[in-house]
Amino acid sequence: MYSMPNALGIVMGVGNAGRHLSMDEDEASTWFSRDGGLTWREVEKKVHIYEYGDHGGLIVLADSVKPTKEIVYSWTEGLAWWHFEFTDEEVRVENVISEVTNSRLQFLVYGVFAQTGKGALFHLDFRDITRECQGFSNPGQSNSDYHIWKPGGKTTDCILGKMVQFTRRKQDAECHNGVHYQRKVESEPC
């Protein structure tokens, strides 16, 4: 499982659905949660490596078992996924990385070319794919790209003696948060 502090509620993992854990690569899939692991959705069959950008608003995946020419990405926090061919030659992807804060819209994909065994490094730049989000100060309004999110789902607002709520991007907002985005957090005892 993988999560980052600034990718609020976003969790990725690799595993299988069933009565027991299978270590067979053919039975494993890549899974996504937007609510901190309360619910899960299968994103891709097969094992993938993944990384976040734009504070979790952009997610990039690549097959980490078999050579590939494409990445899979979502800039709607997992609502929709797109396939993008980033090379003409198949690559055994070793990793997908972003800068340490996961706030930018650029990634590096590295590995080795499957046919020659030579090193491969690709720069993916998503800066021109969307507009910057608007309406941070008025979340939940129709003209805002943001909403209020409370962890815990429908079961409770009180977790470990606190009621916490966060401002985060609406999942269907076709925009990016921006490098200097600072998430608003409100907390009170309960």
Side-chain angles (χ1 to χ4, degrees):
M1 298 221 310
Y2 179 65
S3 185
M4 292 295 290
N6 70 343
L8 189 65
I10 307 289
V11 184
M12 298 288 300
V14 172
N16 64 294
R19 301 192 77 161
H20 64 278
L21 180 62
S22 172
M23 301 309 283
D24 186 351
E25 289 176 355
D26 293 331
E27 293 182 23
S29 296
T30 302
W31 297 81
F32 169 81
S33 174
R34 189 172 183 263
D35 56 15
L38 190 62
T39 59
W40 290 89
R41 194 177 99 196
E42 186 179 52
V43 175
E44 286 285 313
K45 300 280 186 199
K46 301 186 285 181
V47 176
H48 284 69
I49 189 79
Y50 30 79
E51 186 59 272
Y52 308 133
D54 190 39
H55 310 274
L58 176 62
I59 306 163
V60 175
L61 292 73
D63 190 319
S64 61
V65 176
K66 297 181 179 156
T68 186
K69 294 180 179 182
E70 71 176 19
I71 55 112
V72 181
Y73 71 96
S74 174
W75 54 274
T76 57
E77 295 184 355
L79 185 64
W81 297 88
W82 292 269
H83 293 251
F84 173 73
E85 193 167 297
F86 68 95
T87 179
D88 294 332
E89 296 179 51
E90 287 191 331
V91 174
R92 289 190 183 279
V93 175
E94 293 176 17
N95 208 352
V96 178
I97 59 173
S98 180
E99 45 70 54
V100 70
T101 65
N102 299 98
S103 62
R104 301 202 184 269
L105 298 169
Q106 298 176 57
F107 297 82
L108 291 177
V109 176
Y110 67 87
V112 294
F113 287 106
Q115 201 164 32
T116 65
K118 291 184 179 182
L121 179 66
F122 300 90
H123 175 244
L124 305 178
D125 189 343
F126 292 87
R127 287 182 291 185
D128 293 332
I129 200 169
T130 64
R131 64 177 173 81
E132 191 158 339
C133 297
Q134 305 295 314
F136 178 77
S137 60
N138 59 332
Q141 301 295 317
S142 61
N143 63 344
S144 175
D145 292 315
Y146 295 93
H147 71 110
I148 301 295
W149 178 69
K150 298 176 185 177
K154 297 176 181 163
T155 57
T156 183
D157 285 342
C158 189
I159 300 175
L160 299 174
K162 283 187 179 180
M163 194 285 292
V164 182
Q165 62 183 29
F166 302 89
T167 299
R168 74 174 183 182
R169 199 186 83 193
K170 292 176 182 174
Q171 192 172 21
D172 62 352
E174 297 181 1
C175 60
H176 63 272
N177 291 304
V179 175
H180 302 292
Y181 169 71
Q182 294 291 318
R183 190 174 312 280
K184 183 178 176 186
V185 181
E186 293 180 10
S187 175
E188 62 184 58
C190 55

